[in-house]
Amino acid sequence: MKKVVFLITGLTALLGGIIWLCVGFKLSMLPPGNPGYNLYRNSQLFMPWFGYGMACIGIGLVGLYVSAKGVVQFARWSLIVSLIGSFLYLFGTISRLSMNLSVQYEAAQPIGFLMTIFGILFFNISLLRSKLLPSWCRVLLILSVGSLLIFNDQFITSWSSVPFGISWIGLSVYLFMSFFQGAS
């Protein structure tokens, strides 16, 4: 892995993982909402941070794609879907808050989130054939992305954001360790 690609991949994966871990933990510590009774958890301050973390993870995926040799074309399309989804999620989150919860941009956030989840999931599945990451790291990334399918900021399922953050921090730690072992 080239030094510049390594730094971008490792740092953005670390930053995205830390954001998802910290913000998910803080959000999960709030009392849960109950939309059936019109009681909502105030999560407006947390959602832009999830968007920033998702954008950082998307940039880290680009670094993984550039570093992977012999990946199939399916990985390229999965990467494109996840990048479009992560930035659509970020756009939907920011515009939703800046437009004072406007209805016009309501669909951008969940559509972008689902595109990102499935893009990252299929990208990680396509990386199973490459030897870029060890198998424990690939399986951990696949399982953590699967945990995001139950993510909801209003219920106890907001804890599912924590394994997602931990897996990206673990990926960056693995990248840093392998880079420094290769440099010495």
Side-chain angles (χ1 to χ4, degrees):
M1 191 182 284
K2 296 179 182 178
K3 288 184 179 185
V4 173
V5 174
F6 161 76
L7 286 175
I8 292 171
T9 304
L11 291 176
T12 56
L14 181 65
L15 183 61
I18 288 173
I19 289 172
W20 270 86
L21 177 67
C22 293
V23 175
F25 189 73
K26 283 185 176 185
L27 176 68
S28 299
M29 295 302 289
L30 293 175
N34 191 344
Y37 293 113
N38 253 351
L39 299 171
Y40 289 95
R41 178 187 282 173
N42 188 6
S43 61
Q44 289 183 359
L45 297 175
F46 298 104
M47 289 302 137
W49 288 103
F50 282 130
Y52 300 142
M54 198 63 85
C56 289
I57 288 170
I59 294 169
L61 283 174
V62 172
L64 285 177
Y65 177 76
V66 168
S67 301
K69 293 179 176 52
V71 294
V72 294
Q73 189 173 3
F74 183 67
R76 179 181 305 143
W77 288 109
S78 301
L79 175 69
I80 290 170
V81 167
S82 64
L83 287 177
I84 291 172
S86 66
F87 288 106
L88 185 64
Y89 177 74
L90 179 61
F91 169 75
T93 303
I94 291 172
S95 63
R96 182 177 182 200
L97 294 175
S98 65
M99 302 275 185
N100 211 8
L101 298 176
S102 176
V103 178
Q104 295 110 346
Y105 300 103
E106 187 72 28
Q109 188 178 16
I111 290 172
F113 190 65
L114 286 175
M115 284 176 65
T116 304
I117 289 173
F118 287 114
I120 292 174
L121 180 67
F122 293 137
F123 182 78
N124 288 331
I125 289 172
S126 65
L127 279 183
L128 286 175
R129 290 181 24 183
S130 73
K131 302 295 182 200
L132 180 66
L133 300 173
S135 59
W136 66 266
C137 192
R138 291 177 289 201
V139 170
L140 181 66
L141 286 173
I142 289 171
L143 291 176
S144 69
V145 170
S147 75
L148 282 185
L149 289 174
I150 63 169
F151 176 75
N152 189 333
D153 64 331
Q154 294 299 314
F155 302 113
I156 195 166
T157 57
S158 62
W159 282 104
S160 65
S161 63
V162 173
F164 185 69
I166 290 172
S167 68
W168 285 95
I169 292 171
L171 171 69
S172 63
V173 167
Y174 168 75
L175 290 174
F176 285 128
M177 285 179 18
S178 64
F179 181 76
F180 288 125
Q181 286 175 354
S184 63

